[in-house]
């Protein structure tokens, strides 16, 4: 049965307008983006197939164009639309970090990092440079690594902090394995960076590890 033939209370668009986007399932939200299904499949059916094929939203968002377009009913135009939506969301979150206290809105920081790092296939080490009011000055990808290891040099991090005249920093890196848990090496690195930056009066406020659709906070774990 096509979605227009469903009871109004069950249609994704109507449910969103009545109850808010947070009350819809992943498949229902994706169905609104897709707009139409295929012969014999509603947009919700197609959305469920996409989520199953890519193992959830994170996998779908991280799919490259070739893989995405292999799915029947998908194509370059739909891929471009999806990437545009993701980039707008990332930029909106970045704007929020630049105009407000990053430490007063940890959810915004998490969401921004998940969108920025969640789909990466190799490790990337990121720094968010903050002013004295904890507003984001700039975000930089400082180091790139392999699937299992990234070489991070405290001296280079200090140089970038001084370049931006930062008062504080939030670090983040991803675990392509999908496990958002700190390794012993991650903890040692964080303390080394904290000590090096302390010499130039720059505070390390947090270090996030992104993986498997989540972001683990060192500060919340008492590791900073």
């Amino acid at each position: 049965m096509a979605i227009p033939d469903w009871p109004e209370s069950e249609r994704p668009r109507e449910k969103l307008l009545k109850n808010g986007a947070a009350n819809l399932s992943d498949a229902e939200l994706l169905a609104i983006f897709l707009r139409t299904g295929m012969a014999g499949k509603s947009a919700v059916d197609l959305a469920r197939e996409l989520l199953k094929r890519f193992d959830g939203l994170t996998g779908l968002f991280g799919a490259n164009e070739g893989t995405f377009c292999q799915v029947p009913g998908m194509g370059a135009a739909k891929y471009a639309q999806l990437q545009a939506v993701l980039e707008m969301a990332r930029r909106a979150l970045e704007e929020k970090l630049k105009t407000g206290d990053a430490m007063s809105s940890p959810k915004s920081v998490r969401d921004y990092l998940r969108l920025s790092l969640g789909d990466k296939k190799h490790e990337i080490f990121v720094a968010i440079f903050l002013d004295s009011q904890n507003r984001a000055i700039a975000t930089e990808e400082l180091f790139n690594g392999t699937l299992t290891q990234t070489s991070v040099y405290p001296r280079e991090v200090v140089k970038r902090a001084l370049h931006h005249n930062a008062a504080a920093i939030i670090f983040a890196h991803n675990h392509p394995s999908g496990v958002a848990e700190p390794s012993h090496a991650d903890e040692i690195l964080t303390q080394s960076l904290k000590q090096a930056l302390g010499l130039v009066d720059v505070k390390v406020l947090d270090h996030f590890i992104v993986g498997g659709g989540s972001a683990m906070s060192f500060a919340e774990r008492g590791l900073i």
Side-chain angles (χ1 to χ4, degrees):
M1 184 184 297
I3 289 178
D5 297 325
W6 292 10
E8 185 171 324
S9 61
E10 296 299 319
R11 299 173 198 166
R13 187 181 305 165
E14 283 73 10
K15 285 178 67 176
L16 184 149
L17 293 173
K18 181 178 180 181
N19 303 317
N23 291 292
L24 271 67
S25 67
D26 291 349
E28 289 172 326
L29 290 170
L30 185 56
I32 293 174
F33 167 78
L34 294 172
R35 296 182 58 191
T36 60
M38 298 172 57
K41 297 179 184 177
S42 70
V44 173
D45 293 330
L46 184 56
R48 287 175 180 148
E49 288 188 8
L50 283 168
L51 292 172
K52 183 177 181 179
R53 181 179 184 126
F54 291 102
D55 196 24
L57 289 173
T58 300
L60 175 62
F61 294 163
N64 60 40
E65 182 180 356
T67 303
F68 182 88
C69 292
Q70 288 177 359
V71 179
M74 299 297 103
K78 191 63 69 177
Y79 178 80
Q81 289 177 334
L82 180 61
Q83 295 307 307
V85 169
L86 293 174
E87 182 61 17
M88 285 190 292
R90 190 193 66 79
R91 292 186 187 187
L93 290 167
E94 187 174 27
E95 286 179 6
K96 190 171 183 178
L97 295 181
K98 289 181 177 179
T99 57
D101 184 338
M103 299 310 292
S104 69
S105 55
K107 184 178 185 301
S108 295
V109 177
R110 269 193 166 88
D111 290 343
Y112 172 76
L113 293 171
R114 287 172 58 212
L115 276 178
S116 300
L117 298 175
D119 62 344
K120 304 298 183 183
K121 300 300 186 290
H122 58 278
E123 282 196 22
I124 295 175
F125 190 88
V126 168
I128 302 176
F129 299 96
L130 308 170
D131 64 15
S132 59
Q133 303 300 313
N134 292 337
R135 294 172 300 199
I137 301 169
T139 301
E140 291 187 6
E141 292 185 4
L142 297 179
F143 306 101
N144 292 277
T146 65
L147 286 172
T148 58
Q149 182 178 358
T150 300
S151 297
V152 178
Y153 303 99
R155 180 173 178 271
E156 296 302 315
V157 177
V158 170
K159 285 171 62 177
R160 297 310 298 163
L162 293 175
H163 171 79
H164 290 293
N165 194 29
I169 293 181
I170 294 174
F171 293 117
H173 75 279
N174 61 311
H175 280 179
S177 65
V179 180
E181 287 294 325
S183 66
H184 183 57
D186 292 333
E187 295 183 32
I188 292 174
L189 171 62
T190 303
Q191 293 305 315
S192 296
L193 290 169
K194 183 178 178 180
Q195 291 172 12
L197 288 159
L199 296 175
V200 292
D201 295 323
V202 177
K203 297 179 181 179
V204 177
L205 300 182
D206 209 339
H207 184 172
F208 287 90
I209 296 179
V210 179
S214 63
M216 190 284 301
S217 163
F218 272 57
E220 291 179 357
R221 293 276 186 93
L223 299 174
I224 290 289

